[in-house]
Amino acid sequence: MDKFIEKISYIVSTKFKENGYDKQYGKVNVSNRPDLCQFQCNGALAAAKKYGKAPRNIAEEVVESLNSLNTFEEISIAGPGFINIKVKDEILVKYVNDMAKDKKCGCSNAENPMSIVVDYGGANVAKPLHVGHLRSAIIGESIKRTAKFLGHNVIGDVHLGDWGLQIGMVITEVKRRQPGLPYFDESFTGEYPKEAPFTIDELEDIYPKASKLAKSDENAMLEAREATVELQQGRRGYRALWQHILNVSVADLKKNYSSLNVFFDLWKGESDAQEFIPDMVKYLKDNGYTKESEGALVVDVEEETDKAPIPPFLVLKSDGASLYGTTDLATIVQRVQDYNPDEIIYLADKRQSLHFNQLFRCAKKTHIFDKDKTLDYIGFGTMNGKDGKPFKTREGGVMRLHDLIEIIKSAVRDKIVANNSVEADKVEDTARIVGLAALKYGDLSNQATKDYIFDIDRFAAFEGNTGPYILYTVVRIKSILSKVNPTGEEIIIKPYSDVERDLMLKLTKFNEVIEASYAERAPHKICEYIYDVSNIFNRFYNSNKIVSEEDKEKQSSWVAMITLVKRVIEQCLDLLGIEVPEKM
């Protein structure tokens, strides 16, 4: 379906054109004074400069033409030439009822569906997920879901860190603990054990111990670096041990990401790009894109318009070793070969902006990625404690994501028990759903690029702009619908009061909000929208007795309207990766 506001804009634009003005001046916006009108057109003021006429005179001409239509309830001119508009209920009624009949509530598939890769997750194997992984995972998941909902072909890739120095550290620490394992015997030619020589709990103890030792002991660091090189050169035992690390880690990561309602289509890592590096480096050299700088191989990516220096993209170090950036560039080569995407979207901490700027420039300058296609980087802010610093445990360490989830789930559980509205055997699962909603909505309702304060009390509240408040609105609608018997007849949704009219107007913005959320990579716009919808619905709910309403025609209209409200909010929540419980 066309957007409701575009339908209004088209009508107004046509009348501008009929009166001799460019139709661009007929653009309509939602009024910021809903007490005066629903929509407003300010084009007469802009047109006045071009056509040398008083804006009010232009507005009068256009309004006279609009009054000949049977579309608007009221059109007036305010101030120097603002056109204030109220649409007739028939227009609103038709649009909202068409939404109710549509499977996607009026949101159309993209006219030109794209192939899109979303690179999010970014976890390192052998390490547990911590709070720093939260934003990448849930923002990326929302963007992926929204793109799919709009009809694009979307592939989500976890892009694991599985090939760096941390693997060498783990290998050497395992060797110190269990030197007799066959992985360390270079003369061993048999089959390596199928079972890993460690559990996930043991693995999560191994890495921090190894990292701490390597930072304080030069020999330990040297051993870790040597093990990393030998692994990457194909040492058989180390490859087998690395595969165990990968298997154990990925199984645990899948469980943890799943608990967040985050799912990836691809579980590839840095290691998968390694085979593409030699040919890529040869291509860059053969085509004259590289030069030597202090022994290293680089690609200049600075542009004449740069206001500050942009360092060259480092392809290989002076010793010929590849780097994190090399792997990222090779991953683009791999993705082009495997999926030929129109867009690749990256989620990472905003402090990595320089890296992605260099990477994208290099990929396009060297024609590894088509200049007409999109490489996009969403640099997100940090989750901070009330002290304004990155959120940590009471002991000052980085908090595990699992522990964070448990903290907010516990806070929500107490409220659910106090409400006494959920059966005892369903309290835990309800606390899980509502707790995750509190956590994810608390994050996603903030603009992705900004830092925010993690406030458990505020996020877990059942009132205000919170996940639990949105869920409670849906649960309230479910409860109403369970008490009303539908007639089975086709019902026309129509307004019987201003609050219903406000709710219907807000519903018409659904497709507009979803498209804008994807285009701007802004899940917070979906959060703002469902908060507004929930507030208007609750105003309506508090003003009317839906279940006991004696006027059956009115009651049926109300039921059809709140059913659509429920569908719209639930769809938005699904795009945010948030579940809805049956009761709260």
Side-chain angles (χ1 to χ4, degrees), residues 305-338:
T305 54
D306 291 333
K307 294 180 180 179
I310 301 293
F313 181 83
L314 192 54
V315 179
L316 295 176
K317 292 197 295 185
S318 56
D319 62 1
S322 60
L323 303 98
Y324 174 72
T326 319
T327 299
D328 274 355
L329 192 61
T331 299
I332 294 177
V333 173
Q334 180 185 25
R335 286 169 175 162
V336 169
Q337 175 181 293
D338 292 348

PDB file of all heavy atoms in Angstrom, residues 305-338:
ATOM      1  N   THR A 305      39.390  15.603  -1.001  1.00  0.00           N
ATOM      2  CA  THR A 305      38.405  16.345  -0.204  1.00  0.00           C
ATOM      3  C   THR A 305      38.548  16.111   1.293  1.00  0.00           C
ATOM      4  O   THR A 305      37.826  16.723   2.082  1.00  0.00           O
ATOM      5  CB  THR A 305      36.981  15.943  -0.638  1.00  0.00           C
ATOM      6  OG1 THR A 305      36.850  14.515  -0.557  1.00  0.00           O
ATOM      7  CG2 THR A 305      36.704  16.392  -2.062  1.00  0.00           C
ATOM      8  N   ASP A 306      39.449  15.219   1.692  1.00  0.00           N
ATOM      9  CA  ASP A 306      39.610  14.927   3.119  1.00  0.00           C
ATOM     10  C   ASP A 306      40.087  16.160   3.884  1.00  0.00           C
ATOM     11  O   ASP A 306      41.040  16.827   3.482  1.00  0.00           O
ATOM     12  CB  ASP A 306      40.616  13.783   3.327  1.00  0.00           C
ATOM     13  CG  ASP A 306      40.088  12.452   2.849  1.00  0.00           C
ATOM     14  OD1 ASP A 306      38.854  12.280   2.842  1.00  0.00           O
ATOM     15  OD2 ASP A 306      40.910  11.583   2.480  1.00  0.00           O
ATOM     16  N   LYS A 307      39.451  16.441   4.989  1.00  0.00           N
ATOM     17  CA  LYS A 307      39.845  17.582   5.818  1.00  0.00           C
ATOM     18  C   LYS A 307      40.909  17.184   6.836  1.00  0.00           C
ATOM     19  O   LYS A 307      41.572  18.036   7.418  1.00  0.00           O
ATOM     20  CB  LYS A 307      38.623  18.149   6.537  1.00  0.00           C
ATOM     21  CG  LYS A 307      37.597  18.757   5.578  1.00  0.00           C
ATOM     22  CD  LYS A 307      36.401  19.312   6.316  1.00  0.00           C
ATOM     23  CE  LYS A 307      35.390  19.903   5.332  1.00  0.00           C
ATOM     24  NZ  LYS A 307      34.188  20.435   6.038  1.00  0.00           N
ATOM     25  N   ALA A 308      41.042  15.866   7.063  1.00  0.00           N
ATOM     26  CA  ALA A 308      42.067  15.350   7.975  1.00  0.00           C
ATOM     27  C   ALA A 308      42.751  14.180   7.285  1.00  0.00           C
ATOM     28  O   ALA A 308      42.149  13.500   6.439  1.00  0.00           O
ATOM     29  CB  ALA A 308      41.435  14.908   9.295  1.00  0.00           C
ATOM     30  N   PRO A 309      44.012  13.917   7.595  1.00  0.00           N
ATOM     31  CA  PRO A 309      44.731  12.811   6.946  1.00  0.00           C
ATOM     32  C   PRO A 309      44.069  11.460   7.206  1.00  0.00           C
ATOM     33  O   PRO A 309      43.627  11.177   8.321  1.00  0.00           O
ATOM     34  CB  PRO A 309      46.124  12.876   7.593  1.00  0.00           C
ATOM     35  CG  PRO A 309      46.236  14.243   8.166  1.00  0.00           C
ATOM     36  CD  PRO A 309      44.857  14.653   8.562  1.00  0.00           C
ATOM     37  N   ILE A 310      43.984  10.636   6.181  1.00  0.00           N
ATOM     38  CA  ILE A 310      43.486   9.263   6.303  1.00  0.00           C
ATOM     39  C   ILE A 310      44.658   8.341   5.991  1.00  0.00           C
ATOM     40  O   ILE A 310      45.183   8.339   4.868  1.00  0.00           O
ATOM     41  CB  ILE A 310      42.330   8.980   5.321  1.00  0.00           C
ATOM     42  CG1 ILE A 310      41.170   9.942   5.565  1.00  0.00           C
ATOM     43  CG2 ILE A 310      41.863   7.532   5.445  1.00  0.00           C
ATOM     44  CD1 ILE A 310      40.465   9.768   6.884  1.00  0.00           C
ATOM     45  N   PRO A 311      45.123   7.567   6.968  1.00  0.00           N
ATOM     46  CA  PRO A 311      46.276   6.685   6.741  1.00  0.00           C
ATOM     47  C   PRO A 311      45.989   5.672   5.638  1.00  0.00           C
ATOM     48  O   PRO A 311      44.826   5.321   5.390  1.00  0.00           O
ATOM     49  CB  PRO A 311      46.459   5.982   8.091  1.00  0.00           C
ATOM     50  CG  PRO A 311      45.736   6.837   9.083  1.00  0.00           C
ATOM     51  CD  PRO A 311      44.594   7.451   8.339  1.00  0.00           C
ATOM     52  N   PRO A 312      47.007   5.179   4.974  1.00  0.00           N
ATOM     53  CA  PRO A 312      46.802   4.151   3.945  1.00  0.00           C
ATOM     54  C   PRO A 312      46.286   2.858   4.566  1.00  0.00           C
ATOM     55  O   PRO A 312      46.482   2.609   5.760  1.00  0.00           O
ATOM     56  CB  PRO A 312      48.194   3.967   3.336  1.00  0.00           C
ATOM     57  CG  PRO A 312      49.145   4.488   4.349  1.00  0.00           C
ATOM     58  CD  PRO A 312      48.423   5.559   5.089  1.00  0.00           C
ATOM     59  N   PHE A 313      45.627   2.067   3.737  1.00  0.00           N
ATOM     60  CA  PHE A 313      45.107   0.772   4.188  1.00  0.00           C
ATOM     61  C   PHE A 313      46.259  -0.232   4.176  1.00  0.00           C
ATOM     62  O   PHE A 313      46.917  -0.426   3.157  1.00  0.00           O
ATOM     63  CB  PHE A 313      43.986   0.304   3.268  1.00  0.00           C
ATOM     64  CG  PHE A 313      43.364  -1.004   3.669  1.00  0.00           C
ATOM     65  CD1 PHE A 313      42.377  -1.038   4.646  1.00  0.00           C
ATOM     66  CD2 PHE A 313      43.761  -2.196   3.082  1.00  0.00           C
ATOM     67  CE1 PHE A 313      41.798  -2.240   5.022  1.00  0.00           C
ATOM     68  CE2 PHE A 313      43.195  -3.397   3.451  1.00  0.00           C
ATOM     69  CZ  PHE A 313      42.204  -3.419   4.428  1.00  0.00           C
ATOM     70  N   LEU A 314      46.502  -0.860   5.301  1.00  0.00           N
ATOM     71  CA  LEU A 314      47.627  -1.792   5.461  1.00  0.00           C
ATOM     72  C   LEU A 314      47.204  -3.189   5.029  1.00  0.00           C
ATOM     73  O   LEU A 314      46.321  -3.804   5.633  1.00  0.00           O
ATOM     74  CB  LEU A 314      48.076  -1.789   6.926  1.00  0.00           C
ATOM     75  CG  LEU A 314      49.390  -2.465   7.297  1.00  0.00           C
ATOM     76  CD1 LEU A 314      50.546  -1.933   6.454  1.00  0.00           C
ATOM     77  CD2 LEU A 314      49.684  -2.252   8.780  1.00  0.00           C
ATOM     78  N   VAL A 315      47.824  -3.691   3.970  1.00  0.00           N
ATOM     79  CA  VAL A 315      47.470  -5.005   3.426  1.00  0.00           C
ATOM     80  C   VAL A 315      48.317  -6.108   4.064  1.00  0.00           C
ATOM     81  O   VAL A 315      47.795  -7.132   4.514  1.00  0.00           O
ATOM     82  CB  VAL A 315      47.644  -5.030   1.892  1.00  0.00           C
ATOM     83  CG1 VAL A 315      47.300  -6.409   1.336  1.00  0.00           C
ATOM     84  CG2 VAL A 315      46.771  -3.956   1.240  1.00  0.00           C
ATOM     85  N   LEU A 316      49.635  -5.900   4.069  1.00  0.00           N
ATOM     86  CA  LEU A 316      50.548  -6.869   4.684  1.00  0.00           C
ATOM     87  C   LEU A 316      51.588  -6.126   5.510  1.00  0.00           C
ATOM     88  O   LEU A 316      52.055  -5.052   5.121  1.00  0.00           O
ATOM     89  CB  LEU A 316      51.264  -7.705   3.612  1.00  0.00           C
ATOM     90  CG  LEU A 316      50.423  -8.634   2.745  1.00  0.00           C
ATOM     91  CD1 LEU A 316      51.309  -9.295   1.686  1.00  0.00           C
ATOM     92  CD2 LEU A 316      49.705  -9.697   3.572  1.00  0.00           C
ATOM     93  N   LYS A 317      51.958  -6.699   6.635  1.00  0.00           N
ATOM     94  CA  LYS A 317      53.012  -6.106   7.455  1.00  0.00           C
ATOM     95  C   LYS A 317      54.375  -6.309   6.777  1.00  0.00           C
ATOM     96  O   LYS A 317      54.486  -7.040   5.779  1.00  0.00           O
ATOM     97  CB  LYS A 317      53.012  -6.751   8.841  1.00  0.00           C
ATOM     98  CG  LYS A 317      51.773  -6.416   9.664  1.00  0.00           C
ATOM     99  CD  LYS A 317      51.966  -6.704  11.147  1.00  0.00           C
ATOM    100  CE  LYS A 317      52.164  -8.173  11.435  1.00  0.00           C
ATOM    101  NZ  LYS A 317      52.225  -8.451  12.895  1.00  0.00           N
ATOM    102  N   SER A 318      55.399  -5.687   7.333  1.00  0.00           N
ATOM    103  CA  SER A 318      56.734  -5.756   6.735  1.00  0.00           C
ATOM    104  C   SER A 318      57.269  -7.184   6.697  1.00  0.00           C
ATOM    105  O   SER A 318      58.087  -7.522   5.843  1.00  0.00           O
ATOM    106  CB  SER A 318      57.704  -4.853   7.494  1.00  0.00           C
ATOM    107  OG  SER A 318      57.735  -5.198   8.869  1.00  0.00           O
ATOM    108  N   ASP A 319      56.783  -8.045   7.617  1.00  0.00           N
ATOM    109  CA  ASP A 319      57.227  -9.437   7.613  1.00  0.00           C
ATOM    110  C   ASP A 319      56.351 -10.325   6.722  1.00  0.00           C
ATOM    111  O   ASP A 319      56.495 -11.549   6.707  1.00  0.00           O
ATOM    112  CB  ASP A 319      57.267  -9.994   9.047  1.00  0.00           C
ATOM    113  CG  ASP A 319      55.886  -9.989   9.711  1.00  0.00           C
ATOM    114  OD1 ASP A 319      54.900  -9.571   9.067  1.00  0.00           O
ATOM    115  OD2 ASP A 319      55.804 -10.400  10.892  1.00  0.00           O
ATOM    116  N   GLY A 320      55.424  -9.685   6.005  1.00  0.00           N
ATOM    117  CA  GLY A 320      54.562 -10.435   5.087  1.00  0.00           C
ATOM    118  C   GLY A 320      53.301 -10.993   5.724  1.00  0.00           C
ATOM    119  O   GLY A 320      52.484 -11.624   5.046  1.00  0.00           O
ATOM    120  N   ALA A 321      53.135 -10.753   7.036  1.00  0.00           N
ATOM    121  CA  ALA A 321      51.955 -11.286   7.733  1.00  0.00           C
ATOM    122  C   ALA A 321      50.716 -10.453   7.401  1.00  0.00           C
ATOM    123  O   ALA A 321      50.797  -9.241   7.192  1.00  0.00           O
ATOM    124  CB  ALA A 321      52.194 -11.284   9.233  1.00  0.00           C
ATOM    125  N   SER A 322      49.566 -11.120   7.360  1.00  0.00           N
ATOM    126  CA  SER A 322      48.308 -10.412   7.133  1.00  0.00           C
ATOM    127  C   SER A 322      47.786  -9.859   8.454  1.00  0.00           C
ATOM    128  O   SER A 322      48.248 -10.229   9.531  1.00  0.00           O
ATOM    129  CB  SER A 322      47.272 -11.351   6.505  1.00  0.00           C
ATOM    130  OG  SER A 322      47.019 -12.458   7.351  1.00  0.00           O
ATOM    131  N   LEU A 323      46.804  -8.960   8.354  1.00  0.00           N
ATOM    132  CA  LEU A 323      46.260  -8.322   9.535  1.00  0.00           C
ATOM    133  C   LEU A 323      44.735  -8.461   9.563  1.00  0.00           C
ATOM    134  O   LEU A 323      44.140  -9.029   8.648  1.00  0.00           O
ATOM    135  CB  LEU A 323      46.624  -6.827   9.547  1.00  0.00           C
ATOM    136  CG  LEU A 323      48.096  -6.458   9.475  1.00  0.00           C
ATOM    137  CD1 LEU A 323      48.477  -6.097   8.048  1.00  0.00           C
ATOM    138  CD2 LEU A 323      48.381  -5.268  10.381  1.00  0.00           C
ATOM    139  N   TYR A 324      44.163  -7.882  10.597  1.00  0.00           N
ATOM    140  CA  TYR A 324      42.710  -7.860  10.744  1.00  0.00           C
ATOM    141  C   TYR A 324      42.059  -7.239   9.505  1.00  0.00           C
ATOM    142  O   TYR A 324      41.075  -7.751   8.969  1.00  0.00           O
ATOM    143  CB  TYR A 324      42.382  -7.046  12.008  1.00  0.00           C
ATOM    144  CG  TYR A 324      40.932  -6.772  12.277  1.00  0.00           C
ATOM    145  CD1 TYR A 324      40.080  -7.783  12.708  1.00  0.00           C
ATOM    146  CD2 TYR A 324      40.399  -5.490  12.131  1.00  0.00           C
ATOM    147  CE1 TYR A 324      38.744  -7.522  12.988  1.00  0.00           C
ATOM    148  CE2 TYR A 324      39.067  -5.214  12.402  1.00  0.00           C
ATOM    149  CZ  TYR A 324      38.249  -6.242  12.833  1.00  0.00           C
ATOM    150  OH  TYR A 324      36.922  -5.975  13.096  1.00  0.00           O
ATOM    151  N   GLY A 325      42.635  -6.130   9.017  1.00  0.00           N
ATOM    152  CA  GLY A 325      42.096  -5.453   7.842  1.00  0.00           C
ATOM    153  C   GLY A 325      42.210  -6.314   6.589  1.00  0.00           C
ATOM    154  O   GLY A 325      41.322  -6.296   5.730  1.00  0.00           O
ATOM    155  N   THR A 326      43.308  -7.042   6.482  1.00  0.00           N
ATOM    156  CA  THR A 326      43.506  -7.936   5.333  1.00  0.00           C
ATOM    157  C   THR A 326      42.376  -8.960   5.275  1.00  0.00           C
ATOM    158  O   THR A 326      41.796  -9.232   4.214  1.00  0.00           O
ATOM    159  CB  THR A 326      44.853  -8.691   5.449  1.00  0.00           C
ATOM    160  OG1 THR A 326      45.852  -7.809   5.914  1.00  0.00           O
ATOM    161  CG2 THR A 326      45.247  -9.291   4.118  1.00  0.00           C
ATOM    162  N   THR A 327      42.067  -9.516   6.444  1.00  0.00           N
ATOM    163  CA  THR A 327      40.995 -10.510   6.532  1.00  0.00           C
ATOM    164  C   THR A 327      39.650  -9.885   6.168  1.00  0.00           C
ATOM    165  O   THR A 327      38.840 -10.500   5.464  1.00  0.00           O
ATOM    166  CB  THR A 327      40.937 -11.098   7.956  1.00  0.00           C
ATOM    167  OG1 THR A 327      42.175 -11.731   8.256  1.00  0.00           O
ATOM    168  CG2 THR A 327      39.831 -12.117   8.077  1.00  0.00           C
ATOM    169  N   ASP A 328      39.410  -8.664   6.633  1.00  0.00           N
ATOM    170  CA  ASP A 328      38.140  -8.001   6.312  1.00  0.00           C
ATOM    171  C   ASP A 328      37.997  -7.757   4.810  1.00  0.00           C
ATOM    172  O   ASP A 328      36.912  -7.920   4.240  1.00  0.00           O
ATOM    173  CB  ASP A 328      38.051  -6.666   7.057  1.00  0.00           C
ATOM    174  CG  ASP A 328      37.500  -6.819   8.467  1.00  0.00           C
ATOM    175  OD1 ASP A 328      37.099  -7.940   8.823  1.00  0.00           O
ATOM    176  OD2 ASP A 328      37.467  -5.825   9.206  1.00  0.00           O
ATOM    177  N   LEU A 329      39.094  -7.348   4.171  1.00  0.00           N
ATOM    178  CA  LEU A 329      39.046  -7.116   2.725  1.00  0.00           C
ATOM    179  C   LEU A 329      38.832  -8.434   1.986  1.00  0.00           C
ATOM    180  O   LEU A 329      38.045  -8.504   1.034  1.00  0.00           O
ATOM    181  CB  LEU A 329      40.344  -6.445   2.261  1.00  0.00           C
ATOM    182  CG  LEU A 329      40.351  -5.881   0.834  1.00  0.00           C
ATOM    183  CD1 LEU A 329      39.295  -4.800   0.668  1.00  0.00           C
ATOM    184  CD2 LEU A 329      41.733  -5.326   0.485  1.00  0.00           C
ATOM    185  N   ALA A 330      39.517  -9.490   2.443  1.00  0.00           N
ATOM    186  CA  ALA A 330      39.337 -10.803   1.815  1.00  0.00           C
ATOM    187  C   ALA A 330      37.928 -11.338   2.031  1.00  0.00           C
ATOM    188  O   ALA A 330      37.386 -12.063   1.177  1.00  0.00           O
ATOM    189  CB  ALA A 330      40.365 -11.790   2.382  1.00  0.00           C
ATOM    190  N   THR A 331      37.317 -10.973   3.152  1.00  0.00           N
ATOM    191  CA  THR A 331      35.940 -11.393   3.420  1.00  0.00           C
ATOM    192  C   THR A 331      34.986 -10.742   2.425  1.00  0.00           C
ATOM    193  O   THR A 331      33.997 -11.357   1.997  1.00  0.00           O
ATOM    194  CB  THR A 331      35.540 -11.035   4.862  1.00  0.00           C
ATOM    195  OG1 THR A 331      36.399 -11.719   5.772  1.00  0.00           O
ATOM    196  CG2 THR A 331      34.107 -11.443   5.156  1.00  0.00           C
ATOM    197  N   ILE A 332      35.275  -9.499   2.034  1.00  0.00           N
ATOM    198  CA  ILE A 332      34.461  -8.849   0.997  1.00  0.00           C
ATOM    199  C   ILE A 332      34.608  -9.602  -0.324  1.00  0.00           C
ATOM    200  O   ILE A 332      33.623  -9.850  -1.033  1.00  0.00           O
ATOM    201  CB  ILE A 332      34.852  -7.367   0.837  1.00  0.00           C
ATOM    202  CG1 ILE A 332      34.506  -6.584   2.103  1.00  0.00           C
ATOM    203  CG2 ILE A 332      34.139  -6.747  -0.380  1.00  0.00           C
ATOM    204  CD1 ILE A 332      34.926  -5.125   2.075  1.00  0.00           C
ATOM    205  N   VAL A 333      35.851  -9.995  -0.656  1.00  0.00           N
ATOM    206  CA  VAL A 333      36.089 -10.795  -1.863  1.00  0.00           C
ATOM    207  C   VAL A 333      35.239 -12.063  -1.818  1.00  0.00           C
ATOM    208  O   VAL A 333      34.565 -12.435  -2.793  1.00  0.00           O
ATOM    209  CB  VAL A 333      37.585 -11.166  -1.987  1.00  0.00           C
ATOM    210  CG1 VAL A 333      37.796 -12.143  -3.146  1.00  0.00           C
ATOM    211  CG2 VAL A 333      38.434  -9.918  -2.181  1.00  0.00           C
ATOM    212  N   GLN A 334      35.261 -12.724  -0.677  1.00  0.00           N
ATOM    213  CA  GLN A 334      34.504 -13.972  -0.504  1.00  0.00           C
ATOM    214  C   GLN A 334      33.002 -13.729  -0.652  1.00  0.00           C
ATOM    215  O   GLN A 334      32.305 -14.505  -1.327  1.00  0.00           O
ATOM    216  CB  GLN A 334      34.805 -14.558   0.874  1.00  0.00           C
ATOM    217  CG  GLN A 334      34.080 -15.866   1.176  1.00  0.00           C
ATOM    218  CD  GLN A 334      34.328 -16.328   2.602  1.00  0.00           C
ATOM    219  OE1 GLN A 334      34.617 -15.526   3.486  1.00  0.00           O
ATOM    220  NE2 GLN A 334      34.224 -17.622   2.833  1.00  0.00           N
ATOM    221  N   ARG A 335      32.506 -12.680  -0.043  1.00  0.00           N
ATOM    222  CA  ARG A 335      31.066 -12.403  -0.096  1.00  0.00           C
ATOM    223  C   ARG A 335      30.608 -12.041  -1.507  1.00  0.00           C
ATOM    224  O   ARG A 335      29.517 -12.421  -1.926  1.00  0.00           O
ATOM    225  CB  ARG A 335      30.716 -11.281   0.889  1.00  0.00           C
ATOM    226  CG  ARG A 335      30.753 -11.745   2.334  1.00  0.00           C
ATOM    227  CD  ARG A 335      30.671 -10.619   3.343  1.00  0.00           C
ATOM    228  NE  ARG A 335      30.591 -11.142   4.698  1.00  0.00           N
ATOM    229  CZ  ARG A 335      30.841 -10.434   5.794  1.00  0.00           C
ATOM    230  NH1 ARG A 335      31.180  -9.152   5.691  1.00  0.00           N
ATOM    231  NH2 ARG A 335      30.750 -11.000   6.990  1.00  0.00           N
ATOM    232  N   VAL A 336      31.446 -11.309  -2.232  1.00  0.00           N
ATOM    233  CA  VAL A 336      31.112 -10.992  -3.622  1.00  0.00           C
ATOM    234  C   VAL A 336      31.043 -12.275  -4.447  1.00  0.00           C
ATOM    235  O   VAL A 336      30.133 -12.466  -5.255  1.00  0.00           O
ATOM    236  CB  VAL A 336      32.139 -10.004  -4.218  1.00  0.00           C
ATOM    237  CG1 VAL A 336      31.952  -9.875  -5.728  1.00  0.00           C
ATOM    238  CG2 VAL A 336      32.014  -8.636  -3.557  1.00  0.00           C
ATOM    239  N   GLN A 337      31.992 -13.161  -4.217  1.00  0.00           N
ATOM    240  CA  GLN A 337      32.025 -14.418  -4.964  1.00  0.00           C
ATOM    241  C   GLN A 337      30.826 -15.302  -4.621  1.00  0.00           C
ATOM    242  O   GLN A 337      30.194 -15.888  -5.504  1.00  0.00           O
ATOM    243  CB  GLN A 337      33.310 -15.184  -4.643  1.00  0.00           C
ATOM    244  CG  GLN A 337      33.378 -16.571  -5.287  1.00  0.00           C
ATOM    245  CD  GLN A 337      34.648 -17.316  -4.930  1.00  0.00           C
ATOM    246  OE1 GLN A 337      35.734 -16.924  -5.320  1.00  0.00           O
ATOM    247  NE2 GLN A 337      34.522 -18.389  -4.151  1.00  0.00           N
ATOM    248  N   ASP A 338      30.486 -15.384  -3.327  1.00  0.00           N
ATOM    249  CA  ASP A 338      29.440 -16.310  -2.890  1.00  0.00           C
ATOM    250  C   ASP A 338      28.025 -15.761  -3.027  1.00  0.00           C
ATOM    251  O   ASP A 338      27.087 -16.504  -3.321  1.00  0.00           O
ATOM    252  CB  ASP A 338      29.678 -16.700  -1.425  1.00  0.00           C
ATOM    253  CG  ASP A 338      30.929 -17.545  -1.231  1.00  0.00           C
ATOM    254  OD1 ASP A 338      31.488 -18.019  -2.245  1.00  0.00           O
ATOM    255  OD2 ASP A 338      31.362 -17.721  -0.073  1.00  0.00           O
TER     256      ASP A 338
END
